[in-house]
């Protein structure tokens, strides 16, 4: 029963969503299934929050290496949650001036907005900016001309990089504007012809893989996400 | 309901002057009836059973599904199904074995998305197989998740794998936990954890975005053996550059079936090949039609057929 019921729910929801895509009068039913998923995900967030608290409190209690990070995590979590739920610094809506909590929790100037703007955003931007260094180190390794294939890859990458910068335009600016040998046009050609071809081939494979995987799950052939089918 | 004239969502072949002529005006609003009208007449509501704009897609889907189901049936009847070797999946044992020898954990990252994403489900199906190997080797697998539902599902998956391996006492639910829904918060946790704990094997199987390279490069820096898989085309080059093995697109979806070795599942992989054969046939026919059409002119039958193929069947 523990696997039969989830499998039944999965199959029913999956079939409804597929049918709703093709049968117009069932689209409302498809939306209902999606809404149910959103409700489940929202409830599960409480589970996630509870798990976060439990895991970090245990790390602090056991004084595991790096427990200080858990303190920072918990403080950030509790403060953000409290500030958002209590709507600290939020002004009442003009329509309901006597209700202190009638404003939006993320209103400009509120404590939650402040945390979002001056803590969350800079931290996220920092992590994203670090990507540039990771790209550089990965490119350094990937573009080593070890063999013919790697050399071709290096040459193509160099051409594309050059074609995306002004240096590429400047280097072949002496050629006629419609010359296919101009680096920016060569770069476009490689992107539109070879890259698009490869990408489409992968996407066709992905689409077929999605269909086959969905069928395996809907038909109950693959139950590994619910447990082994053998036990 | 929005009535568009000419309708943006209309089927081009069914516009005014086309055959049949009564379908001169089509408009679509989710769940609402279609508006049909003869040229010059007031539109009349009409609720069709099937969305006419998606009939070709339905047909193509039916062909692929029929191929998959037929191949599953063939596999059940005992016909041997040969599937090409996938080095990335053959390396699972090696990766887990290495982690066991080094006394370090195995890290499994199921991506950023929730359980309504097929890539996450595909990742979890592989997690079931990997966990079983981990349980058999008596190693440890750690699964930090970015979604609460994924955490719950992953716990069920790993627990079932430990049960199947006869090691239910070794299962530790605390190793499968929720971190945060935030993309870079999740990445910051993972990279910090990887740098401190230095897992010997890292699996990245699911839906990934900008964080793919950060994770893979960190794993590379700590010397972990890395196996990645995603259907996100824009992230594949990063995984290819930084990981030891990468499951590209359809290989990722085939991974669970490949690792299971069960005839039913291998049959479904063969069914995918039927779909691929069909797609290749359409490609060849389409290329031929476009080539001949460009020689004979835009009013020729091959050119019109090519336009119909692109505009109607494959739109």
């Amino acid at each position: 029963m523990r696997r039969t019921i989830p499998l039944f729910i999965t199959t029913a929801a999956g079939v409804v969503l597929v049918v709703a895509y093709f049968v117009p009068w069932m689209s409302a039913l498809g939306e209902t299934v999606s809404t149910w998923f959103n409700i489940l995900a929202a409830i599960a967030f409480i589970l996630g929050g509870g798990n976060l608290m439990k895991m970090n409190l245990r790390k602090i209690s056991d004084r595991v290496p790096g427990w200080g990070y858990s303190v920072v995590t918990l403080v950030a979590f509790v403060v953000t949650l409290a500030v958002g739920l209590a709507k600290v610094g939020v002004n009442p809506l003009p329509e309901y001036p006597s209700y202190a909590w009638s404003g939006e929790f993320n209103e400009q100037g509120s404590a939650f907005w402040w945390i979002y703007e001056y803590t969350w955003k800079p931290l996220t931007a920092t992590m994203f900016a670090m990507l540039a260094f990771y790209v550089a180190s990965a490119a350094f390794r990937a573009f080593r001309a070890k063999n013919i294939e790697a050399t071709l890859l290096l040459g193509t990458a160099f051409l594309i990089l050059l074609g995306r910068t002004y240096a590429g335009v400047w280097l072949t600016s002496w050629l006629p504007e419609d010359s296919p040998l101009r680096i920016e046009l060569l770069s476009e050609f490689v992107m539109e012809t070879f890259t698009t071809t490869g990408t489409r081939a992968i996407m066709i494979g992905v689409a077929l893989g999605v269909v086959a995987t969905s069928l395996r799950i809907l038909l109950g052939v693959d139950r590994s996400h619910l447990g082994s089918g053998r036990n | 309901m929005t009535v568009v004239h000419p309708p943006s969502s209309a089927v081009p072949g069914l516009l005014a002057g086309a055959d049949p002529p009564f379908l001169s005006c089509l408009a679509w609003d989710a769940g609402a009836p279609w508006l049909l009208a003869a040229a010059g007449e007031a539109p009349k509501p009409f609720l069709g059973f099937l969305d006419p704009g998606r009939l070709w897609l339905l047909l193509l889907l039916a062909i692929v599904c029929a191929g998959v189901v037929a191949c599953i049936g063939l596999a059940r009847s005992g016909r041997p199904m040969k599937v090409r070797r996938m080095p990335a999946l053959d390396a699972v044992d090696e990766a887990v074995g290495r982690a066991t020898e080094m006394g370090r954990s195995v890290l499994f990252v199921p991506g950023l998305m929730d359980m309504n994403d097929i890539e996450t489900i595909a990742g979890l199906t592989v997690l079931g197989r990997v966990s079983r190997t981990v349980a058999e080797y008596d190693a440890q697998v750690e699964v930090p998740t970015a979604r609460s539902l994924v955490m719950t599902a992953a716990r069920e998956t790993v627990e079932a794998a430990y049960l199947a391996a006869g090691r239910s006492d070794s299962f530790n639910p605390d190793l499968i936990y929720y971190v945060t829904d935030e993309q870079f918060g999740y990445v910051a946790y993972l990279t910090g954890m990887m740098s401190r704990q230095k897992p010997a094997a890292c699996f990245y199987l699911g839906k990934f975005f900008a964080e793919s390279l950060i994770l893979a490069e960190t794993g590379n820096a700590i010397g972990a053996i890395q196996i990645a898989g995603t259907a996100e085309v824009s992230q594949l080059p990063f995984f290819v550059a930084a990981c030891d093995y990468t499951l590209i697109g359809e290989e990722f979806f085939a991974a669970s079936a490949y690792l299971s070795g069960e005839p039913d599942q291998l049959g479904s992989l063969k069914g995918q090949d039927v779909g691929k054969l069909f797609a290749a046939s359409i490609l060849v026919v389409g290329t031929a039609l476009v080539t001949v059409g460009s020689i004979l002119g835009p009013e020729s039958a091959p050119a019109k057929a090519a336009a119909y193929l692109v505009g109607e069947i494959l739109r």
Side-chain angles (χ1 to χ4, degrees):
Chain A
M1 281 302 268
R2 210 176 154 202
R3 270 180 288 136
T4 309
I5 292 173
L7 182 64
F8 174 75
I9 295 170
T10 306
T11 307
V15 169
V16 165
L17 284 169
V18 171
V19 173
Y21 187 75
F22 294 104
V23 181
W25 55 270
M26 279 191 72
S27 60
L29 197 58
E31 281 168 23
T32 307
V33 172
S34 301
T35 307
W36 269 104
F37 176 80
N38 291 337
I39 292 168
L40 275 175
I43 295 168
F45 189 74
I46 299 169
L47 193 70
N51 182 256
L52 183 82
M53 295 278 284
K54 181 186 151 192
M55 297 300 295
N56 284 288
L57 282 172
R58 183 177 293 168
K59 279 182 189 171
I60 296 166
S61 143
D62 294 349
R63 293 286 195 276
V64 296
W67 63 272
Y69 298 115
S70 294
V71 175
V72 175
T73 305
L74 276 186
V75 169
F77 176 66
V78 172
V79 168
T80 311
L81 188 70
V83 154
L85 285 176
K87 295 188 176 179
V88 176
V90 172
N91 296 308
L93 286 175
E95 305 95 283
Y96 308 104
S98 54
Y99 292 93
W101 284 1
S102 59
E104 290 290 330
F105 71 98
N106 55 354
E107 178 190 295
Q108 190 169 351
S110 67
F112 188 87
W113 174 86
W114 195 92
I115 290 173
Y116 180 81
E117 285 292 322
Y118 299 113
T119 311
W120 185 85
K121 263 189 177 178
L123 285 171
T124 302
T126 305
M127 282 305 294
F128 192 59
M130 280 166 63
L131 193 57
F133 300 101
Y134 287 108
V135 168
S137 68
F140 177 74
R141 240 189 359 267
F143 294 151
R144 262 184 253 171
K146 293 175 283 193
N147 47 38
I148 295 172
E149 290 90 345
T151 312
L152 280 173
L153 182 70
L154 172 66
T156 314
F158 188 68
L159 182 74
I160 299 292
L161 283 171
L162 213 53
R164 301 272 143 178
T165 58
Y166 182 71
V169 179
W170 178 78
L171 274 173
T172 49
S173 57
W174 51 274
L175 286 168
E177 274 196 9
D178 55 347
S179 168
L181 293 177
R182 283 178 72 113
I183 287 180
E184 70 271 26
L185 296 180
L186 266 176
S187 162
E188 284 289 320
F189 175 74
V190 171
M191 293 289 285
E192 285 178 9
T193 311
F194 300 110
T195 311
T196 308
T197 312
T199 305
R200 282 184 184 162
I202 293 172
M203 285 173 76
I204 289 171
V206 166
L208 292 168
V210 167
V211 171
T213 305
S214 304
L215 260 183
R216 279 201 298 271
I217 289 165
L218 293 183
L219 297 176
V221 173
D222 188 348
R223 302 180 189 191
S224 49
H225 62 296
L226 302 169
S228 168
R230 285 192 287 268
N231 66 353
Chain B
M1 178 186 298
T2 314
V3 180
V4 188
H5 236 312
S8 59
S9 60
V11 184
L14 302 180
L15 286 172
D19 188 21
F22 54 83
L23 295 173
S24 64
C25 168
L26 298 173
W28 170 248
D29 202 355
W34 288 68
L35 284 183
L36 306 180
E41 283 182 13
K44 292 173 195 163
F46 172 76
L47 191 62
F49 181 74
L50 289 171
D51 182 347
R54 290 170 179 169
L55 278 178
W56 279 111
L57 178 61
L58 181 62
L59 184 68
L60 295 177
L61 186 65
I63 291 170
V64 176
C65 289
V68 173
V69 172
C71 286
I72 291 175
L74 280 176
R76 278 186 180 169
S77 70
R79 180 174 287 200
M81 294 286 162
K82 191 175 182 309
V83 179
R84 72 175 166 87
R85 285 187 64 242
M86 285 196 231
L89 297 174
D90 294 338
V92 168
D93 283 354
E94 178 197 338
V96 177
R98 185 170 178 261
T100 313
E101 281 173 10
M102 295 173 81
R104 293 192 198 158
S105 63
V106 173
L107 174 70
F108 191 100
V109 184
L112 274 182
M113 300 305 283
D114 216 328
M115 284 305 290
N116 58 345
D117 192 282
I118 188 73
E119 287 178 61
T120 309
I121 296 174
L124 288 189
T125 58
V126 182
L127 171 64
R129 315 291 176 198
V130 172
S131 303
R132 188 162 176 160
T133 312
V134 166
E136 283 163 0
Y137 280 72
D138 205 15
Q140 275 194 329
V141 60
E142 193 158 347
V143 190
T145 68
R147 306 281 164 171
S148 310
L149 277 182
V150 178
M151 175 189 77
T152 315
R155 277 186 177 171
E156 291 290 327
T157 306
V158 176
E159 187 179 9
Y162 272 76
L163 269 170
R167 300 256 181 157
S168 55
D169 52 321
S170 303
F171 171 64
N172 181 4
D174 288 343
L175 289 176
I176 302 141
Y177 52 89
Y178 169 79
V179 180
T180 172
D181 279 41
E182 287 301 332
Q183 181 185 21
F184 288 109
Y186 185 56
V187 177
Y189 172 81
L190 284 175
T191 50
M193 186 269 264
M194 286 161 78
S195 303
R196 286 191 296 276
Q197 296 185 10
K198 295 189 171 39
C202 299
F203 292 86
Y204 313 110
L205 297 160
K207 184 107 172 170
F208 292 89
F209 300 98
E211 72 282 2
S212 60
L213 188 63
I214 301 179
L215 296 176
E217 273 296 288
T218 308
N220 193 284
I222 60 169
I225 185 164
Q226 301 194 99
I227 300 175
T230 185
E232 197 63 31
V233 179
S234 56
Q235 303 307 320
L236 281 170
F238 297 132
F239 277 143
V240 171
C243 292
D244 299 285
Y245 300 97
T246 308
L247 295 163
I248 297 173
E250 63 170 325
E251 290 180 339
F252 171 47
F253 293 106
S256 176
Y258 182 91
L259 287 171
S260 77
E262 292 167 10
D264 283 12
Q265 300 211 38
L266 294 178
S268 73
L269 294 186
K270 279 287 165 197
Q272 272 177 252
D273 289 348
V274 175
K276 258 187 265 180
L277 201 65
F278 188 63
S281 312
I282 293 179
L283 273 173
V284 172
V285 170
T287 310
L289 286 173
V290 170
T291 308
V292 176
S294 66
I295 295 166
L296 299 179
E299 290 304 313
S300 63
K304 282 182 179 172
Y308 188 78
L309 185 69
V310 175
E312 289 296 309
I313 299 174
L314 301 178
R315 78 197 177 97

